[in-house]
Amino acid sequence: MNRTLLHLLAAAMTAAAVACGGNDTTEATADNPQQLPAMHYADSTRNGRKISKDPHVIRFKDRYLMYYSMAPARNEGWTVGIAESRNLTDWTPVAIMEPAGDYEAKGFCAPCALVRGDTVHLFYQTYGNNEKDAICHAWSTDGIHFERDASNPIFAPEPAAWTCGRAIDAEVAKVGDRYLMYYATRTTDYKRQIIGVAEAPADTDFSRGEWRQVGDGPVLEPKYPWEETCTEGASVVEKDGKYYMFYAGAYNNRPQQVGVAVSDDGIRWTKMSNKPFLANGDPGTWNSSESGHPHIFKNTDGRTYLFYQGNNDNGKTWYLSNVEVVWRDGRPTLE
């Protein structure tokens, strides 16, 4: 899609945001005993379905941008939607990314955005290729129109005794003098979802060949009953010299919930509790089926907000919301 058509699409989407996307602020009813959270966002501009997943938020220039997965439409696969906000609560959809290249033909999703200088770097996964799914890279100077990396896909681990070679759910963070890429992969029997990590130098262009697998096994894997057979969706933030990973435990709607691990170096992680940090809601609430796929966003004032996906109908819809995370004695807590 050319730039002119993208601008026309963005304008049309903005005009339709109230009817087809944006926050749902429905009041409490007999079927909805608790009022919805201040942010309760789903983008239905693509296909009329209120399904938005895998949020990732950045502050870029004079606004916040949120990237998220959008469900398939017509005979097309998953893709990435983009919304903007001035206050982290009210969001307006502004663009939908179109597939580019054979590697995105079946779909792409689960975005992670990183601001470096005047450029937004977007990392995302291919979709629908099972053990062949891998991480891709694109960049933009306005946060909306992206140029694909000619070397895509840029990373997947080599198949080994501990991994089938798949890579999804990328999270790229600057840790010390290097970039670390956290990704979810599967064990060789394809039953357990685990988290691995790769590294690239500080001056990297993020292309294929820049990334090197770190270690010969996962850095996080399911351990506690609530995690069942899945840890995925890692999101990392630095606080007072330590690194905190917010991650999803259990597969979608089992329910998926959010846990936290801590590290001094970004490689060796210790889970902070045997219970979820952010659990799914009580029966009848908007997120009773799950609170999943977290993104921890640090604002320019240092305050942190946990974005996550939820629903109460076992995945017929998916909404995005956030809650502020407050830090006390080196531990994250929820307001």
Side-chain angles (χ1 to χ4, degrees), residues 301-328:
D301 60 4
R303 295 169 70 177
T304 50
Y305 300 84
L306 184 63
F307 287 78
Y308 62 102
Q309 65 188 35
N311 73 86
N312 61 6
D313 52 18
N314 290 313
K316 294 182 179 66
T317 61
W318 252 294
Y319 286 82
L320 304 178
S321 190
N322 69 37
V323 62
E324 184 168 5
V325 174
V326 177
W327 301 80
R328 295 189 175 94

Side-chain angles (χ1 to χ4, degrees), residues 24-37:
D24 184 345
T25 56
T26 305
E27 295 296 326
T29 67
D31 295 326
N32 182 28
Q34 294 189 17
Q35 188 171 343
L36 298 173

Side-chain angles (χ1 to χ4, degrees), residues 60-80:
F60 188 60
K61 298 180 178 178
D62 62 346
R63 61 181 172 173
Y64 301 101
L65 292 174
M66 180 169 64
Y67 304 86
Y68 48 91
S69 301
M70 295 185 73
R74 298 179 296 276
N75 292 315
E76 301 172 346
W78 285 85
T79 189
V80 172

